[in-house]
Amino acid sequence: MSDQIDKSAPVLVTGASGYIAQQVILLLLQKGYKVRGTVRSLDKAPALKALLAAQDPRANEIEMFAADLMSDAGWDEAVAGCTYVHHIASPIPPELPKDPNDLIVPARDGALRALRASKAAGVKRVILTSSVAAIAYGYDDQPEILSEADWSNPDNLKDNTAYTRSKTIAEKAAWEYLSGPGQGMEMATVNPSAVLGPVLSGDFSASVGILTQLMGGKLPATPSVGFQIVDVRDVAATHVAAMETPGAAGHRFIAASDYYWFADIAKLLREEFPAQRKKIPTRKLPSFLLRFLSIFNPVMKQVVPELDKKRVVTNTKAQEMLGVTFRPGREAILAGAKSLIDHNVV
Ligand code: NAP
């Protein structure tokens, strides 16, 4: 598959500082690709390159470009000469903003900026990081198992947050662009569930907050919330396979593994990390109490649409079409927790 790809052209990864993007970059380097990255400000580039180079010295060769999702500046230069673009940058904050547009506008307009610049530069394929948030939210009558054929309804405000809406709206806008002005260019999306797995530093994605909350002594009790977990290294593998597999164009790919309730993650962490045991909650937080507390607490507000709700997606398509194998959720949880301990975060 990858043998057919000309590896002399650089592959662009947007949002190179991010948790998922870092693993996509490392996998591309390992496979012999030349990598370019975008960051909001080039001030971040030296530290980021040093962080990645500690894992793989080839990271010293990465070309860095400045591009913000909210501005046209820099995108044309970043994509020039690239055949493949992984558009991964999108805001994923630990707490919800007051104005949903603070997330929706950069997610949607940033995706369109990356796509327009790619189309103008003659890019062959863009691989966009969407989310299970664009598949599993806003149903009146939710299917028991959701697949890539399903779309979230972002207008159902009871069963969405600004973040989940931003991911659906951005992915929809991207496919609409592809079937309109972007015709002729290819796109595939990767739709991960909650991403865990090793962090490279103490600066990481909001999803790792699942572990820092549980291990950092910040949660007195576990909320009745659960997610399918996926290892960040498998999300990267799905991204790269969606780039290398000719038939992946035009498809969405769910990246997800086992389902875990918070209480079960807490139990696993207590068993595997006895030194942290005292900080990890054993009690369960009643959902009515969390709903009440969320009135005052923006972090808790993010969790309300998840309370007592199980959303299950299938990863069969990525396994069958892309040949990706997903690690068990347990492995992603334990690798993430160990890396947080190693970086003295918890
Ligand atoms: P992350 O570590 O927070 O990475 C987000 C990246 O987006 C960072 O590089 C960030 O740059 C960049 N970004 C945010 N706003 C930007 C802006 N205005 N202009 C330019 N860049 C901007 O989170 P992640 O988990 O790796 O997320 C990456 C992608 O995966 C996102 O599209 C997210 O929605 C998606 N996703 C994540 C999960 C998950 O559980 N983590 C699940 C499903 C989908 P800075 O470093 O400058 O802030």
Side-chain angles (χ1 to χ4, degrees):
M1 263 183 292
S2 53
D3 293 348
Q4 297 159 354
I5 293 182
D6 171 13
K7 290 188 174 169
S8 64
V11 177
L12 180 68
V13 176
T14 73
S17 56
Y19 180 46
I20 294 174
Q22 289 172 359
Q23 294 293 336
V24 172
I25 290 172
L26 290 173
L27 184 55
L28 288 168
L29 291 172
Q30 192 192 316
K31 294 190 116 193
Y33 291 97
K34 279 195 213 161
V35 176
R36 261 188 208 173
T38 68
V39 281
R40 278 196 243 207
S41 154
L42 285 177
D43 295 348
K44 277 196 172 180
L48 176 59
K49 278 172 78 161
L51 179 74
L52 293 166
Q55 306 291 320
D56 186 333
R58 285 169 286 198
N60 286 313
E61 310 301 320
I62 298 172
E63 296 174 280
M64 289 288 186
F65 290 75
D68 194 299
L69 296 169
M70 295 294 278
S71 157
D72 290 334
W75 289 100
D76 291 342
E77 292 80 357
V79 297
C82 294
T83 314
Y84 296 98
V85 171
H86 293 265
H87 179 57
I88 304 180
S90 201
I92 164 166
E95 59 186 66
L96 293 172
K98 284 208 175 80
D99 182 353
N101 282 325
D102 289 355
L103 297 185
I104 293 168
V105 174
R108 179 195 59 209
D109 295 5
L112 292 175
R113 283 193 171 93
L115 288 169
R116 272 192 228 108
S118 298
K119 172 71 180 159
V123 166
K124 179 177 169 58
R125 183 179 298 177
V126 175
I127 303 89
L128 176 95
T129 324
S130 183
S131 172
V132 158
I135 289 175
Y137 288 74
Y139 292 87
D140 293 327
D141 188 11
Q142 185 190 300
E144 203 174 321
I145 296 182
L146 295 128
S147 75
E148 289 85 350
D150 296 302
W151 274 94
S152 294
N153 170 13
D155 299 327
N156 178 343
L157 300 184
K158 273 196 187 149
D159 193 42
N160 269 285
T161 63
Y163 173 71
T164 58
R165 293 176 68 208
S166 80
K167 295 307 287 180
T168 309
I169 291 168
E171 194 196 323
K172 275 221 160 112
W175 286 117
E176 271 163 31
Y177 176 79
L178 259 285
S179 60
Q183 260 180 32
M185 187 168 68
E186 297 175 353
M187 186 172 84
T189 68
V190 175
N191 297 64
S193 58
V195 184
L196 294 177
V199 298
L200 300 187
S201 74
D203 179 13
F204 40 74
S205 169
S207 58
V208 181
I210 295 173
L211 298 176
T212 55
Q213 294 273 335
L214 285 172
M215 299 180 84
K218 292 174 191 157
L219 276 184
T222 52
S224 175
V225 167
F227 296 103
Q228 268 164 293
I229 305 296
V230 63
D231 193 289
V232 65
R233 296 163 290 184
D234 297 336
V235 178
T238 313
H239 252 273
V240 175
M243 174 184 100
E244 291 180 332
T245 307
H251 288 276
R252 311 169 84 198
F253 295 98
I254 289 171
S257 187
D258 313 306
Y259 193 95
Y260 272 82
W261 292 98
F262 262 50
D264 296 326
I265 300 178
K267 182 166 175 280
L268 175 63
L269 294 171
R270 277 198 309 276
E271 285 163 4
E272 297 293 327
F273 299 100
Q276 319 286 322
R277 192 174 287 158
K278 277 192 187 146
K279 289 196 271 179
I280 303 172
T282 50
R283 285 174 299 158
K284 294 191 178 173
L285 185 63
S287 296
F288 77 88
L289 185 58
L290 194 146
R291 275 198 184 87
F292 174 71
L293 294 172
S294 74
I295 298 169
F296 315 102
N297 183 322
V299 177
M300 288 185 177
K301 202 167 265 164
Q302 179 120 293
V303 167
V304 169
E306 307 299 338
L307 280 174
D308 305 310
K309 189 134 199 177
K310 192 166 180 181
R311 306 173 203 270
V312 179
V313 293
T314 169
N315 63 12
T316 310
K317 188 173 166 183
Q319 292 196 58
E320 289 180 354
M321 273 184 76
L322 303 180
V324 178
T325 310
F326 293 99
R327 289 168 176 81
R330 174 190 168 88
E331 211 175 310
I333 293 166
L334 296 181
K338 181 172 181 317
S339 68
L340 291 169
I341 293 169
D342 291 346
H343 290 294
N344 293 319
V345 178
V346 292

